Amino acid sequence: MAKVKIAVNGYGTIGKRVADAIRAQDDMEVVGVSKTKPNYEAQVAHYLGYDIYCPAENIGAFEKAGMPAAGTIEEMLEKSDLVVDCTPGGIGEKNKPLYEKVGLKAIWQGGESHPIAGFSFNAASNYQQAIGRDIVRVVSCNTTGLCRVISTIDKALGVNKVRASLARRAVDPNNIKKGPVDAIVLDPVKLPSHHGPDVRSVLPHINITTAALKVPTTEMHIHIVNMQVDKDCTAEDIKKIFSSESRIRFVGNGITATSEIMETTRDVKRSRSDVWENCIWPESIAVSDREFTFFQAIHQEAVTIPENIDAIRAMAELETDGAKSIEKTNKALGLSNWPL
Ligand SMILES: NC(=O)c1ccc[n+]([C@@H]2O[C@H](COP(=O)([O-])OP(=O)(O)OC[C@H]3O[C@@H](n4cnc5c(N)ncnc54)[C@H](OP(=O)(O)O)[C@@H]3O)[C@@H](O)[C@H]2O)c1
């Protein structure tokens, strides 16, 4: 079967990972990646053998920098079946008419709001509803992390109410332009934070409220999640339910910090030290009546990457069974039982 041809528009934190993840699959291929500036990230794309596409007015700059562009962004789109838009939040919306003009299927990221596609995606929650769709939004890292645990518990026990507090990494490791360097920022002051409503864009029936703080770190978010469920349960029941979901993994061996998780992924030589799974501390699961609380860590740069691959597979109708797509994506990416 011919591979589905994918354009990756925007080759930054998310785009470079999506491109590599597509390359790892056997049913889809990367037509090219786009950059506006011929900087160090473009140089890496060139080194890795990706065809680079750029705005027409920048073709000369790429040529001069020794990494000639394969063409314009419009030309990349014309050669493709589907585009994954990984441009900064707010830019993706401006690209919509470009995709419509070529009649391309399109995926946007969580930096765009729900109405851009009218359908927000998380593989464990609503894969089936994405089959054959033309436009989809893959929700943000925090929302992905919340949807995975909520939908898993909802299927097993029924979720009545969720209250979650989020300590958000301030910026990604390579971002030298933003802080905070020494502060905890209420993000935002007015509650709830946007994460709860965003979860409801995937799981509309969930009663959820969230509050978020930005903390001076680049390594992962931490969530304190509290759920009320419809059935009696023990901490052991919750552990068993979480362990049935392949993109949830348990953290042990004395790890008490995000930096120790990242150190482990560097040590076991995961690509870019990426953690594609939710990391839950099973020891933290505390149950009281039909209510429980736990800690999880979410690697912002990585957690949405397998979701993009599953979204492509559903939209291109390469696989109608969500569980099979998740398994195929996981295997190709290399999710394995490395020690944590
Ligand atoms: N970073 C995260 O933790 C994270 C997690 C989940 C979801 N997201 C979402 O994913 C999306 C991308 O975020 P990101 O963090 O990957 O951004 P990023 O690191 O800033 O990368 C954005 C990329 O888009 C390129 N770009 C900018 N304007 C463009 C345009 N008009 N046309 C084509 N390419 C353009 C940039 O290249 P130039 O520098 O050459 O302009 C850059 O390669 C956002 O919606 C964000 O909210 C981010």
Side-chain angles (χ1 to χ4, degrees), residues 1 22 45 52 61 135 141 143 161 181 193 200 220 223 241 252-254 267 270 294 296 307 325 336:
M1 199 167 66
I22 293 167
I52 304 175
I135 50 175
C141 44
T143 305
K161 198 191 260 188
V181 173
S193 70
R200 289 173 59 106
M220 310 185 88
H223 298 173
I241 295 164
N253 298 325
D267 287 345
R270 268 210 177 186
F294 64 95
Q296 66 173 353
E307 309 299 322
S325 176
S336 60

Side-chain angles (χ1 to χ4, degrees), residues 175-210:
N175 190 332
I176 56 171
K177 293 182 187 156
K178 291 191 205 161
V181 173
D182 183 16
I184 296 173
V185 183
L186 308 189
D187 186 30
V189 173
K190 192 169 163 31
L191 296 177
S193 70
H194 72 274
H195 307 94
D198 207 26
V199 165
R200 289 173 59 106
S201 73
V202 178
L203 299 164
H205 62 291
I206 296 294
N207 174 351
I208 176 168
T209 298
T210 50

Side-chain angles (χ1 to χ4, degrees), residues 239-291:
K239 281 183 214 168
K240 210 166 151 197
I241 295 164
F242 279 150
S243 61
S244 68
E245 167 57 53
S246 60
R247 290 182 187 160
I248 293 175
R249 65 178 312 133
F250 290 151
V251 180
N253 298 325
I255 288 181
T256 59
T258 53
S259 53
E260 293 169 337
I261 296 176
M262 297 307 289
E263 183 72 359
T264 309
T265 59
R266 282 190 286 267
D267 287 345
V268 299
K269 299 185 175 59
R270 268 210 177 186
S271 169
R272 294 192 176 92
S273 68
D274 279 353
V275 191
W276 299 291
E277 308 96 324
N278 290 31
C279 293
I280 291 181
W281 277 264
E283 264 182 87
S284 72
I285 299 171
V287 181
S288 166
D289 297 325
R290 292 181 173 183
E291 182 176 347

Side-chain angles (χ1 to χ4, degrees), residues 9-14 35-37 87-88 109 111 169 172 300:
N9 196 16
Y11 188 80
T13 302
I14 298 300
K35 282 280 296 164
T36 67
K37 296 187 219 83
T87 58
Q109 308 303 311
R169 65 88 179 94
D172 290 336
Q300 76 282 355

